[in-house]
């Protein structure tokens, strides 16, 4: 390379300089400094992952593993079917809260990582219907317990003069999935104001009766009764049964 030297008034010869040799890795490092880094992935389990998990997208940019979160919210559909589905799902959530004392006992055989409330909603997703903006719950089909044990043999009667409900537990033989030391329970559900009450009734292998007073402000016409059983260690349960509350003078 020859360049004139105006200061000296003559031509000065400048030596030719070879360009700097940069390795491929160094180029990657230099180029990465040009871009704004959103997130750098250094965790081995996802070092080679490409794709999307939830709202996080994983990709490669300038030889580095990157992660980017989506900032745009998904559009919520206002179609009649979508609105009806959200309404029914909201009612199921409310039911799971109202029946929490019962479903905590009644769903021990749920999937790993699944809560009793999630198991309840998954099992009862068809009990709510919406017609002409009126939401109804099929309480006879509702299940507040589920499992592989046999259902207990229990009846319930209501005394109008004392406002008491009496459960009669009939002894059952000790068979497979029907153990004499299984625990039996009655569940009172108030369909008008919400809430439930769980009543321990004894053991499956013993006959006996248990009486409880109807909670204040509860009306018999709005009370649904369920019964179910659990194993002695509460690791198994039976399906719940909705039984008729007969009335006596």
């Amino acid at each position: 390379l020859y360049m004139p030297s105006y200061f000296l008034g003559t031509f000065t010869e400048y030596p030719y300089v070879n360009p700097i040799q940069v390795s491929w890795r160094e180029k990657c490092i230099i180029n990465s400094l040009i871009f704004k880094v959103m997130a750098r992935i250094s965790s081995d389990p996802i070092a080679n992952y490409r794709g999307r998990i939830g709202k996080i997208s994983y990709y490669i940019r300038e030889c580095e593993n990157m992660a980017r979160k989506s900032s745009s919210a998904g559009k919520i559909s206002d179609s009649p079917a979508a609105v009806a589905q959200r309404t029914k799902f909201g009612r199921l959530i409310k039911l799971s809260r109202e029946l929490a004392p019962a479903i905590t006992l009644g769903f021990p055989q749920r999937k790993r990582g699944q809560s009793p409330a999630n198991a309840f909603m998954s099992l009862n997703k068809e009990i709510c219907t919406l017609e002409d903006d009126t939401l109804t719950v099929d309480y006879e089909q509702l299940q507040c317990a589920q499992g592989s044990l046999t259902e207990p043999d229990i009846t319930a009667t209501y005394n109008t003069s004392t406002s008491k409900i009496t459960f009669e537990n009939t002894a059952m033989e000790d068979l497979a999935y029907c153990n004499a030391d299984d625990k039996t329970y009655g569940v009172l559900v108030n369909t008008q104001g919400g809430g439930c009450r769980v009543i321990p009734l004894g053991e499956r292998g013993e006959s006996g009766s248990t009486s409880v007073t109807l909670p204040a402000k509860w009306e018999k016409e709005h009370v649904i009764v369920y019964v179910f059983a659990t194993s002695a260690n509460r690791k198994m349960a039976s399906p719940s049964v909705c039984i008729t509350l007969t009335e006596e003078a």
Side-chain angles (χ1 to χ4, degrees):
L1 176 62
Y2 295 92
M3 297 182 66
S5 175
Y6 298 102
F7 295 101
L8 299 178
T10 61
F11 288 97
T12 303
E13 183 176 312
Y14 290 85
Y16 179 79
V17 181
N18 289 326
I20 299 175
Q21 297 298 320
V22 180
S23 67
W24 177 83
R25 180 178 177 81
E26 291 172 333
K27 285 182 180 180
C28 290
I29 295 174
I30 293 171
N31 289 336
S32 67
L33 297 176
I34 299 174
F35 295 92
K36 181 179 178 182
V37 178
M38 300 185 68
R40 182 177 296 163
I41 305 303
S42 59
S43 176
D44 289 338
I46 59 173
N48 297 317
Y49 182 76
R50 313 289 181 272
R52 185 181 180 93
I53 300 178
K55 293 185 178 181
I56 307 296
S57 298
Y58 297 93
Y59 61 99
I60 293 293
R61 189 177 72 181
E62 301 300 333
C63 310
E64 288 191 347
N65 298 308
M66 310 296 293
R68 178 174 60 196
K69 182 177 181 181
S70 175
S71 59
S72 59
K75 183 178 179 181
I76 299 176
S77 174
D78 291 327
S79 66
V83 172
Q85 186 65 23
R86 289 197 296 270
T87 302
K88 291 187 287 186
F89 185 73
R91 185 68 182 99
L92 271 180
I93 293 176
K94 187 176 180 181
L95 277 172
S96 70
R97 294 170 180 169
E98 294 173 352
L99 303 179
I103 65 179
T104 300
L105 285 171
F107 287 89
Q109 295 175 258
R110 57 189 184 273
K111 295 179 181 179
R112 184 175 181 180
Q114 190 179 44
S115 69
N118 287 340
F120 168 82
M121 289 190 291
S122 177
L123 183 63
N124 293 281
K125 58 186 177 182
E126 303 296 335
I127 65 171
C128 295
T129 56
L130 184 66
E131 295 182 2
D132 298 328
D133 297 329
T134 301
L135 181 66
T136 58
V137 178
D138 188 349
Y139 282 97
E140 291 186 1
Q141 297 299 319
L142 184 148
Q143 294 267 276
C144 60
Q146 179 65 27
S148 55
L149 293 181
T150 303
E151 298 92 337
D153 185 1
I154 299 173
T155 60
T157 56
Y158 176 73
N159 190 302
T160 56
S161 60
T162 61
S163 298
K164 286 188 175 182
I165 296 176
T166 301
F167 292 91
E168 293 288 345
N169 188 38
T170 301
M172 301 178 69
E173 295 183 13
D174 198 344
L175 301 171
Y177 300 103
C178 180
N179 308 301
D181 62 349
D182 288 344
K183 307 300 180 182
T184 57
Y185 299 90
V187 181
L188 305 180
V189 177
N190 183 9
T191 63
Q192 191 71 9
C196 80
R197 183 177 177 183
V198 179
I199 301 100
L201 302 178
E203 296 187 352
R204 187 197 295 269
E206 298 178 354
S207 296
S209 63
T210 303
S211 296
V212 293
T213 303
L214 199 66
K217 298 182 179 180
W218 283 28
E219 298 179 1
K220 183 259 180 183
E221 291 75 15
H222 300 137
V223 173
I224 303 293
V225 182
Y226 304 91
V227 294
F228 67 93
T230 67
S231 58
N233 59 8
R234 294 185 179 180
K235 291 185 178 181
M236 299 177 69
S238 74
S240 62
V241 180
C242 181
I243 61 175
T244 303
L245 183 60
T246 58
E247 189 172 327
E248 63 179 17

